[in-house]
């Protein structure tokens, strides 16, 4: 029997129906599989965004504390400069202010959620603008402040202010009470005044940087929460 004869004897309508059913079955299976994977991915995205919000809230709390310390330190330095200019007699209560004038802070941010996101792929965040905002916060904004603190704030403290405190005060540790060895001589000491004003300038940059980063943290939280609302509605 020829091939043509065999083909003419086939039940073509039934065969076509069977082929269509097979195709539809495979397509449906693929659709459900893709749908389930999309739901899993959306669940993972929602989870990591929630972790980022928690981390950012922790960042804001740490920054707020640092800003308050910076404000108090700045005020202490202003008081000391005023005492130097007016030449008031030394009083033991001034030791607390001398100690506070040396306070320094470091921003400790929670990077675990972002590091995990990088390890699994930033593409987990489906919103391109949100992905850019998160990356910019951690790779640029946070790094700018922490680098400034590490290189300039700590450097200014160790190389300029700390030697002055050790040499010219009865002084145990930064922010503790510090008693001048000779108040009258200290008031006329240009080196100490220069160290103090330079320290105040460095702290001013750190203080402003902390305020800016806190605002950026708050803004990013709002952006993420808006995205969570969209993802939860899908």
């Amino acid at each position: 029997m020829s091939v043509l004869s065999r083909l003419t004897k086939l039940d073509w309508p039934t065969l076509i129906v069977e082929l269509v059913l097979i195709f539809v079955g495979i397509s449906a299976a693929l659709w459900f599989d893709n749908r389930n994977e999309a739901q899993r991915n959306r669940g993972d995205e929602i989870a990591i965004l929630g972790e980022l919000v928690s981390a950012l809230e922790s960042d804001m709390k740490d920054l707020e504390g640092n800003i308050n310390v910076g404000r108090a330190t700045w005020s202490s330095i202003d008081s000391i400069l005023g005492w130097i200019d007016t030449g008031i007699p030394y009083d033991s209560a001034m030791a607390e202010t001398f100690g506070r004038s040396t306070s320094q802070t470091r921003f400790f941010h929670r990077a675990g959620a972002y590091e995990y996101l990088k390890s699994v792929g930033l593409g987990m965040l489906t919103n391109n603008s949100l992905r850019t905002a998160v990356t910019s916060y951690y790779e640029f904004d946070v790094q700018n402040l922490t680098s400034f603190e590490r290189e300039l704030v700590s450097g200014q403290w160790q190389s300029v202010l700390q030697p002055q405190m050790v040499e010219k005060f009865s002084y145990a540790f930064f922010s503790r009470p510090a008693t001048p060895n000779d108040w009258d001589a200290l008031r006329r000491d240009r080196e100490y005044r220069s160290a103090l004003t330079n320290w105040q300038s460095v702290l001013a940059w750190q203080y402003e940087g902390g305020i800016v980063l806190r605002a950026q943290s708050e803004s990013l939280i709002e952006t993420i929460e808006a995205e969570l609302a969209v993802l939860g509605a899908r």
Side-chain angles (χ1 to χ4, degrees), residues 127-180:
N127 185 316
N128 292 334
S129 61
L130 176 59
R131 188 188 315 122
T132 299
V134 169
T135 303
S136 177
Y137 174 81
Y138 284 100
E139 298 292 346
F140 299 101
D141 302 329
V142 168
Q143 291 303 317
N144 284 342
L145 180 59
T146 54
S147 295
F148 179 83
E149 290 179 338
R150 183 174 58 253
E151 296 169 12
L152 292 178
V153 176
S154 294
Q156 181 75 13
W157 159 251
Q158 293 173 1
S159 64
V160 179
L161 189 60
Q162 187 182 37
Q164 292 289 309
M165 299 301 297
V166 171
E167 177 186 352
K168 297 165 183 176
F169 288 82
S170 173
Y171 173 74
F173 193 71
F174 70 87
S175 81
R176 300 285 179 86
T179 304

Side-chain angles (χ1 to χ4, degrees), residues 94-107:
M94 295 160 67
E96 292 285 347
T97 303
F98 280 114
R100 281 196 304 271
S101 72
T102 67
S103 299
Q104 60 172 305
T105 60
R106 293 286 293 273
F107 172 47

Side-chain angles (χ1 to χ4, degrees), residues 40-52:
R40 286 193 298 272
N41 291 342
R42 185 164 66 249
D44 291 342
E45 183 178 6
I46 289 172
I48 193 63
L49 287 175
E51 290 296 321
L52 286 171

Side-chain angles (χ1 to χ4, degrees), residues 17-201:
V17 169
E18 290 176 350
L19 290 173
V20 169
L21 289 175
I22 292 171
F23 175 78
V24 170
I26 293 173
S27 299
L30 290 173
W31 182 84
F32 279 110
D33 186 58
N34 291 337
R35 181 172 179 273
N36 290 337
E37 183 177 1
Q39 288 178 333
R40 286 193 298 272
N41 291 342
R42 185 164 66 249
D44 291 342
E45 183 178 6
I46 289 172
I48 193 63
L49 287 175
E51 290 296 321
L52 286 171
V53 168
S54 296
L56 289 165
E57 288 173 342
S58 176
D59 285 359
M60 285 186 63
K61 189 174 297 184
D62 190 71
L63 288 165
E64 183 65 35
N66 292 351
I67 289 167
N68 290 335
V69 171
R71 190 180 296 118
T73 305
W74 180 278
S75 177
S76 295
I77 295 172
D78 270 349
S79 295
I80 295 169
L81 293 174
W83 298 338
I84 290 174
D85 290 339
T86 57
I88 67 171
Y90 179 75
D91 184 281
S92 59
M94 295 160 67
E96 292 285 347
T97 303
F98 280 114
R100 281 196 304 271
S101 72
T102 67
S103 299
Q104 60 172 305
T105 60
R106 293 286 293 273
F107 172 47
F108 294 101
H109 68 289
R110 282 177 53 188
Y114 178 66
E115 292 301 324
Y116 172 75
L117 177 61
K118 286 200 300 182
S119 71
V120 298
L122 292 168
M124 177 184 286
L125 303 185
T126 53
N127 185 316
N128 292 334
S129 61
L130 176 59
R131 188 188 315 122
T132 299
V134 169
T135 303
S136 177
Y137 174 81
Y138 284 100
E139 298 292 346
F140 299 101
D141 302 329
V142 168
Q143 291 303 317
N144 284 342
L145 180 59
T146 54
S147 295
F148 179 83
E149 290 179 338
R150 183 174 58 253
E151 296 169 12
L152 292 178
V153 176
S154 294
Q156 181 75 13
W157 159 251
Q158 293 173 1
S159 64
V160 179
L161 189 60
Q162 187 182 37
Q164 292 289 309
M165 299 301 297
V166 171
E167 177 186 352
K168 297 165 183 176
F169 288 82
S170 173
Y171 173 74
F173 193 71
F174 70 87
S175 81
R176 300 285 179 86
T179 304
N181 296 331
D182 186 335
W183 170 235
D184 289 332
L186 190 67
R187 286 193 297 106
R188 299 188 297 272
D189 192 322
R190 294 183 179 180
E191 189 178 26
Y192 171 70
R193 184 187 181 102
S194 176
L196 199 60
T197 54
N198 287 340
W199 177 239
Q200 189 177 43
S201 298

